[in-house]
Amino acid sequence: MKQDTAAKTMVVGATVFFGLALTMGLLTALKFVVPTVGEIEYLSMPRVRMAHTNINLFGWLLQANMGILFWVLPRILHTKLFSEKLGVLMGLVYNIAVIGGIVSILTGNVKNVEYGEIPPPFDYMIAICWVLFAVNVFGTVATRKVKYLYVTVWYTLGAVIWTTFVFITGNMFSQMPMVSGVNQANLIWFYVHNAVGLIFTPLGVAIAYYMIPKQLNTPIYSHKLSMIGFWVISFVYVWTGAHHMIHGPQPHWLQTVSIIFSFSLIIPVMAVITNFFGTFATAPRSTRMNGPIPKLLMMGTVYYIFTCLQGPFQAIRSVNEITSKTDWVVGHAHMALFGAFSYYAMAGIYYVAPKLAGRKLYSTPLGDLQFWIMTIASVPFFAVLWISGVIQGFAWLNPENTFVDTLAALKHAHWLRFSSGALIFIAYFLFLYNILQTLFGKYPETAEETDVAEAKTAAAQ
């Protein structure tokens, strides 16, 4: 089988699912301002929202990360992917599982797990696919031709181990008959928070640690700092999930532990962003922001800072009393999964797609335009969710306010949320067109592409 077929399979699948995730997100935002739109059972608000989150998490982001790493790991380790056939099989089964899971959600067959509503057997199929991914990752590392492991490999190996534990705990252990009440809530929120912290954070950071030095042609700022960040995050992140249930039916000591460890996350975050910004600062100015890839990596890092500073302060009891369960948390989650890690994933796809096609990116100006539209739209998108969340929180604390009064106060915020989301949705099609044209389109060859084609012909002879 041709090299990098597995990576290409998952990159294409993820790129298409990204659009479906944004479609469901835009429909969710529209239902806040026009509740009667799509007034059929299969497109009811709860089902559309659950479809949006699960497509975004599994169809888009996790699949994009796995596809990019299928390309990155062999290059770092100076070897071939352990099994290309196994990777392609995994990619096909994975996409079938995600499609089946989303259809199940839209038809009303769901699990009672936030971010894990995909029901059996499709959740078990995703778990099996992760095992196959792990086999390929560990097999590639075992057959490597280099002695030392770069930090990208450390984060990838960590993510494989952490994700296995987190996914099984939240999606399977939490559904056992003997697990109920507060114990079930503990397991589910352990999964929900660590889905971001121990699945998408290490995979996203792994990709950024490879892409930033490679794209800027500059060594990483500090290898020691990268390992400090890795080991601290591996220890402290697992304890933070309970901060989602502060002021709830949760032991006070467990809430306190989650608050302390939430603030401890500032340590690995500072290590990561110091490394990223330090690498940008030492890169040549002429190439520092040349094209969409470094722009996406830089903006993803900026959003990563805000996300990881917002989270600890959100865990303070007095702040949590206002922001918990409001639009503030929705904005926080979107800035993590879209603002930080989707930006890293888009940068990774922009980098990998031309390598898979053996030619340059179809259009760098189009990539720049997509970045600017998406970024300019994302700023009010996030900001209005935080502001409306505070308004919502204070309104809920006022016993004289009714539910309808609170909705009326947020009407303009919901319109701005939909409008900015629509711009993000439009920008996606620029990204989709650019990637599909790069991979499958026909356009005039550059001199570099001609050289690559001639080199391949010569090698074949």
Side-chain angles (χ1 to χ4, degrees):
M1 183 171 288
K2 188 178 178 181
Q3 187 177 0
D4 299 323
T5 304
K8 189 174 184 178
T9 300
M10 303 205 77
V11 164
V12 172
T15 303
V16 173
F17 270 120
F18 190 19
L20 187 57
L22 291 173
T23 302
M24 290 297 179
L26 190 64
L27 181 56
T28 302
L30 182 59
K31 281 178 174 286
F32 274 93
V33 291
V34 188
T36 55
V37 70
E39 205 168 19
I40 61 174
E41 180 184 0
Y42 304 114
L43 295 179
S44 62
M45 177 67 174
R47 297 187 191 184
V48 171
R49 187 262 173 186
M50 286 186 287
H52 166 62
T53 56
N54 282 272
I55 296 170
N56 190 52
L57 293 173
F58 299 108
W60 155 239
L61 196 48
L62 185 57
Q63 182 167 208
N65 289 336
M66 289 191 290
I68 294 166
L69 288 168
F70 270 157
W71 188 91
V72 168
L73 289 177
R75 273 71 188 179
I76 294 178
L77 299 170
H78 294 194
T79 187
K80 289 184 178 181
L81 187 69
F82 178 68
S83 175
E84 204 71 49
K85 291 181 180 179
L86 187 66
V88 172
L89 174 65
M90 187 212 80
L92 294 175
V93 174
Y94 185 86
N95 279 282
I96 292 170
V98 173
I99 292 169
I102 300 311
V103 170
S104 296
I105 288 172
L106 293 177
T107 54
N109 180 20
V110 300
K111 294 205 313 289
N112 64 328
V113 178
E114 178 76 1
Y115 288 0
E117 289 89 356
I118 292 177
F122 302 110
D123 56 346
Y124 289 95
M125 290 172 66
I126 290 173
I128 291 170
C129 287
W130 187 256
V131 172
L132 299 181
F133 176 71
V135 170
N136 242 335
V137 169
F138 283 111
T140 306
V141 173
T143 59
R144 70 186 187 275
K145 296 177 182 177
V146 294
K147 182 177 180 181
Y148 297 104
L149 298 179
Y150 180 61
V151 63
T152 292
V153 184
W154 280 101
Y155 271 104
T156 304
L157 292 173
V160 168
I161 297 168
W162 301 328
T163 301
T164 302
F165 182 65
V166 169
F167 189 86
I168 291 175
T169 299
N171 284 270
M172 295 160 195
F173 287 172
S174 68
Q175 303 303 294
M176 290 184 174
M178 72 287 293
V179 180
S180 61
V182 175
N183 290 330
Q184 186 183 55
N186 271 325
L187 290 182
I188 289 175
W189 282 105
F190 165 84
Y191 162 73
V192 173
H193 194 270
N194 288 313
V196 179
L198 293 179
I199 299 177
F200 297 108
T201 295
L203 292 176
V205 170
I207 290 169
Y209 260 119
Y210 177 82
M211 292 296 163
I212 292 174
K214 200 72 176 175
Q215 180 65 26
L216 299 179
N217 197 24
T218 303
I220 195 69
Y221 181 71
S222 171
H223 287 281
K224 289 182 179 179
L225 204 57
S226 70
M227 296 314 300
I228 291 172
F230 170 79
W231 286 111
V232 175
I233 200 173
S234 67
F235 176 70
V236 303
Y237 220 123
V238 71
W239 304 99
T240 58
H243 74 213
H244 285 277
M245 292 186 289
I246 294 173
H247 304 296
Q250 184 80 280
H252 194 270
W253 67 266
L254 185 57
Q255 296 179 27
T256 303
V257 168
S258 70
I259 293 170
I260 292 170
F261 279 94
S262 295
F263 270 89
S264 300
L265 283 174
I266 293 176
I267 299 171
V269 169
M270 288 299 111
V272 170
I273 63 173
T274 300
N275 242 346
F276 290 173
F277 284 142
T279 308
F280 268 99
T282 56
R285 291 195 176 187
S286 58
T287 59
R288 196 179 293 174
M289 288 296 166
N290 188 15
I293 299 174
K295 292 184 181 72
L296 286 164
L297 292 169
M298 170 60 84
M299 200 63 208
T301 303
V302 171
Y303 281 141
Y304 182 65
I305 297 171
F306 283 114
T307 300
C308 296
L309 291 180
Q310 188 184 43
F313 286 99
Q314 184 179 303
I316 300 172
R317 284 190 172 89
S318 57
V319 176
N320 190 272
E321 185 178 2
I322 299 167
T323 62
S324 181
K325 315 303 183 292
T326 67
D327 285 349
W328 172 285
V329 181
V330 178
H332 175 63
H334 275 81
M335 189 165 59
L337 294 170
F338 173 70
F341 303 127
S342 288
Y343 268 51
Y344 287 157
M346 285 187 286
I349 290 176
Y350 267 131
Y351 184 88
V352 168
K355 312 292 185 185
L356 293 171
R359 55 183 174 176
K360 286 186 176 181
L361 181 68
Y362 173 72
S363 174
T364 297
L366 199 63
D368 285 335
L369 179 61
Q370 176 248 320
F371 165 79
W372 285 114
I373 294 175
M374 205 168 263
T375 301
I376 291 170
S378 67
V379 173
F381 181 86
F382 298 142
V384 75
L385 285 167
W386 302 331
I387 295 169
S388 65
V390 174
I391 295 171
Q392 207 173 19
F394 278 113
W396 289 351
L397 291 173
N398 183 356
E400 296 181 0
N401 271 329
T402 65
F403 178 74
V404 175
D405 291 334
T406 305
L407 280 179
L410 300 177
K411 181 179 179 180
H412 299 298
H414 287 155
W415 270 113
L416 181 56
R417 173 190 184 178
F418 169 73
S419 302
S420 54
L423 285 175
I424 293 171
F425 184 67
I426 292 169
Y428 157 76
F429 287 98
L430 303 180
F431 173 71
L432 176 68
Y433 181 74
N434 215 353
I435 296 303
L436 293 184
Q437 279 287 71
T438 302
L439 290 171
F440 307 111
K442 295 185 180 295
Y443 55 94
E445 286 188 347
T446 63
E448 181 180 320
E449 290 161 10
T450 304
D451 292 341
V452 170
E454 290 176 353
K456 286 182 178 178
T457 304
Q461 294 173 349

